[in-house]
Amino acid sequence: MTSITASNASSASSAGTGVLTGTPVVPGVALGPVVTVTSEVPADVVQAYEARDPASPDDALATYDEAVGVVADSLVARSSNASGAASEVLVATANLVKDKGLRKAVKKRLDAGEPLLGALRGAVEQFATLFTQMGGLMAERVTDLHDIERRLTARIVGAPEPGLSTPDEPSVLVAEDLAPADTAGLDPAFVVALVTEQGGPTSHTAIIARQLGIPCVVGVHGATGLAPGTRVLVDGATGAVETEVDEADAAERVRKDQEWRAHLDAWSGPAATKDGTTVKVMANVADGASAEKAVAYPVEGVGLFRTELCFLDSSEEPSVEEQSEVYAAVLRPFADGRTVVVRTLDAGSDKPIAYATPKGEENPALGIRGLRLSFDNPGLLDRQIEGIALAAEKTGSSPWVMAPMVATVEEAETFAGRVRKHGLTVGVMVEIPSAALLAEQILEVVDFMSIGTNDLTQYSMAADRMSAGLAHLTDPWQPAVLRLIAMTAAAGKKHGKPVGVCGEAAADPALATVLVGMGITSLSMAPNAVRAVGAQLGATSDEACTRAAEVALAASDPHEARAAVRAVLDA
Ligand code: PEP
Ligand code: MG
């Protein structure tokens, strides 16, 4: 049974213009025929089934149970061919199919006289509403619920199971958006690129594509209109999906890209531009285990240790001694003289911590999170700084300490006083536009700044960083965000103090050249991104970095900025 439709025939693009564009997520160039994920069960088959239903409630429940068994078994079988997170996603979806609560809700509706498909639809809606109200991770499972509804419906009416099965030749997968169960089963040998109509850089599709290293473009308007089998060239660096492909030219571009990727694998640091201007390329880590992994990469230290991630499951504040052990586990692998930047608790909003985050805030992203936790509870911050100082002593290292969510000069000054009492280097994050606007004054009272582009973008554009529907706004290439970064970098140059970037923007090789051109001195990112960034900087002259910054700042939108920078880098 295959639910992917691909034909070998090369058909004309349905786009007409020859190029569709979206938000680039994972760089890389790939060529292949379009395969589409069938997400809907054919309406005529459903109607025909509904016309011949009604079965008795007991018979209908037996049909439901049979469908549950088959769909769950198929997901479990796929999970045994997958590994890690992918396998876990498939098992979790299989468990949701077999959920007793869902069965009970279906049965209740059947007993009340509803036909089977209506009962299934109603029960799924009931759970989807509940999950949405619960918010957070439960809300994210609504996609899984709708996915299993389609799979069960298909089985009940006798249609092929919707979703993704492995194509028989290397193909470009095009979808509205991908269900977690679909992305989990992706085989990079057969799916050479991902293109989705919906979703943003933080969508599930984007995260899995990054993990697997599959070139990916999201938010491509018109993508699902492409006829299956159309040969397309996907450029995950520019966001272009070319639908009128010159085969020879495309093959040459793919070859060059593969050559470049092989070059990336060989990059071993330290980072510098082609002219030798040094840039610190560093790792973002979450705990001791991730620090142990990061140290194997060519990084010059840790540019962001998100301490709150160590305490997400703690119901009570750990003692200073306990905290020092947690921090020492991150400092130790880098205690050979490399810098580790420890960020104090950024609890709140999307990362609530039981013992620190206030309950029941109307709007937690704009509420008491990050440094603001210390306004009413200064002891919480002081004990954390003490724990960091103790860890420094235990490991013989000199961590830098920075505060998240700083808005004013006074906040920066108070924080600096607390950290300097322990003889440590102190800095603040630039995540709130006011901190960028006040960078010159703030740098008078701290030793360094680190720009958190994820939140800086969210707060500059007033767009929730998790909202797929606002992905075009939560893009660090937005000119307003670039100007705030440039302003902060200029303040750093004026004071002769380091200004780094530790948000996702640092992991984008083209954007990295822009940031360095503005005067950013360090870039901190997920370790698997360092080679691409380091290699790009090594291939770019100082003059090209400066020019890249100029053209990006002069652009009026992210698309124009990316294209202008690409032209500078290609030249
Ligand atoms: C940021 O906001 O860019 C940042 C690095 O912090 P976090 O992603 O942890 O909010
Ligand atoms: Mg942040």
Side-chain angles (χ1 to χ4, degrees):
M1 165 172 61
T2 175
S3 46
I4 283 196
T5 37
S7 84
N8 292 328
S10 208
S11 57
S13 151
S14 60
T17 61
V19 184
L20 303 177
T21 48
T23 304
V25 172
V26 180
V29 180
L31 171 70
V34 165
V35 291
T36 52
V37 179
T38 321
S39 60
E40 298 305 331
V41 184
D44 53 339
V45 183
V46 172
Q47 277 158 13
Y49 180 86
E50 278 176 331
R52 47 174 207 276
D53 204 27
S56 71
D58 283 351
D59 287 349
L61 192 62
T63 306
Y64 174 81
D65 286 339
E66 191 270 348
V68 163
V70 171
V71 171
D73 285 352
S74 128
L75 289 164
V76 170
R78 281 172 55 202
S79 81
S80 50
N81 295 327
S83 61
S87 172
E88 283 164 24
V89 166
L90 290 164
V91 171
T93 310
N95 287 337
L96 194 59
V97 174
K98 292 187 284 189
D99 187 82
K100 288 204 171 68
L102 186 63
R103 183 180 188 274
K104 214 166 141 191
V106 170
K107 181 174 178 339
K108 197 169 163 198
R109 286 168 182 271
L110 290 173
D111 290 343
E114 285 188 43
L116 178 53
L117 294 184
L120 172 60
R121 215 172 294 133
V124 163
E125 267 327 307
Q126 185 184 326
F127 274 70
T129 309
L130 186 71
F131 283 13
T132 306
Q133 278 163 0
M134 288 162 86
L137 289 177
M138 290 313 286
E140 286 173 23
R141 301 221 64 195
V142 170
T143 316
D144 303 61
L145 271 176
H146 289 301
D147 179 43
I148 64 169
E149 180 196 338
R150 283 191 291 266
R151 288 174 198 273
L152 288 171
T153 303
R155 177 70 201 173
I156 292 166
V157 303
E161 191 174 337
L164 171 65
S165 39
T166 304
D168 5 322
E169 64 173 315
S171 304
V172 173
L173 180 60
V174 176
E176 191 70 37
D177 199 2
L178 290 169
D182 286 332
T183 40
L186 287 183
D187 179 351
F190 287 98
V191 177
V192 292
L194 285 176
V195 175
T196 64
E197 179 117 12
Q198 299 282 316
T202 52
S203 63
H204 190 84
T205 304
I207 291 164
I208 297 275
R210 251 185 230 118
Q211 263 171 25
L212 295 173
I214 301 177
C216 176
V217 184
V218 298
V220 183
H221 185 63
T224 48
L226 289 168
T230 308
R231 287 182 70 76
V232 294
L233 185 74
V234 179
D235 189 334
T238 62
V241 179
E242 294 179 29
T243 56
E244 283 159 17
V245 175
D246 174 317
E247 288 288 330
D249 175 58
E252 177 57 13
R253 282 172 58 191
V254 171
R255 192 192 60 74
K256 274 198 181 146
D257 179 66
Q258 280 167 353
E259 214 173 84
W260 174 246
R261 288 205 236 179
H263 170 66
L264 298 188
D265 288 343
W267 187 82
S268 59
T273 63
K274 201 172 177 179
D275 298 313
T277 302
T278 56
V279 181
K280 277 190 171 186
V281 167
M282 307 173 93
N284 289 354
V285 304
D287 53 19
S290 60
E292 295 282 357
K293 282 193 192 138
V295 81
Y297 286 81
V299 292
E300 290 180 63
V302 169
L304 171 64
F305 167 21
R306 292 177 161 106
T307 57
E308 66 281 358
L309 299 183
C310 302
F311 308 117
L312 291 178
D313 296 330
S314 308
S315 51
E316 280 172 25
E317 184 188 340
S319 69
V320 169
E321 173 59 33
E322 284 165 340
Q323 289 191 50
S324 76
E325 283 304 312
V326 172
Y327 308 143
V330 170
L331 297 184
R332 212 165 277 122
F334 293 92
D336 53 3
R338 283 182 275 183
T339 305
V340 173
V341 183
V342 184
R343 176 173 78 181
T344 54
L345 280 189
D346 185 24
S349 190
D350 53 332
K351 292 172 287 194
I353 292 186
Y355 65 83
T357 317
K359 307 225 166 13
E361 282 190 299
E362 285 264 311
N363 193 349
L366 297 181
I368 301 175
R369 59 170 291 200
L371 181 68
R372 298 165 179 194
L373 292 167
S374 69
F375 295 171
D376 280 345
N377 190 357
L380 181 71
L381 176 61
D382 285 335
R383 288 185 293 277
Q384 183 174 28
I385 298 170
E386 249 180 81
I388 297 168
L390 187 56
E393 228 174 272
K394 286 181 179 173
T395 56
S397 44
S398 315
W400 293 13
V401 183
M402 69 179 177
M405 295 294 291
V406 172
T408 69
V409 181
E410 193 205 342
E411 286 171 12
E413 195 165 19
T414 309
F415 179 74
R418 291 195 149 104
V419 174
R420 287 203 178 110
K421 262 200 263 169
H422 296 272
L424 298 171
T425 303
V426 63
V428 295
M429 289 195 72
V430 177
E431 294 169 294
I432 303 177
S434 70
L437 296 165
L438 295 170
E440 276 199 22
Q441 285 156 278
I442 292 179
L443 276 171
E444 281 169 16
V445 299
V446 296
D447 305 316
F448 71 95
M449 276 182 149
S450 182
I451 306 174
T453 45
N454 308 335
D455 278 316
L456 185 62
T457 308
Q458 154 165 272
Y459 294 126
S460 306
M461 306 305 295
D464 183 342
R465 63 195 256 187
M466 300 310 286
S467 165
L470 300 177
H472 60 294
L473 294 176
T474 50
D475 184 336
W477 286 82
Q478 280 288 351
V481 179
L482 294 178
R483 283 182 204 193
L484 291 169
I485 298 172
M487 195 176 256
T488 313
K493 275 205 249 181
K494 187 167 170 195
H495 282 280
K497 292 185 178 179
V499 173
V501 170
C502 64
E504 287 293 305
D508 175 338
L511 190 47
T513 67
V514 171
L515 299 173
V516 169
M518 289 175 178
I520 292 297
T521 56
S522 69
L523 298 165
S524 191
M525 63 204 78
N528 62 6
V530 299
R531 289 197 169 89
V533 169
Q536 179 64 63
L537 291 176
T540 313
S541 67
D542 288 348
E543 197 192 333
C545 287
T546 308
R547 184 84 194 112
E550 280 167 7
V551 297
L553 285 165
S556 57
D557 64 52
H559 177 63
E560 194 186 314
R562 282 189 174 92
V565 168
R566 186 47 49 203
V568 169
L569 299 181
D570 286 349

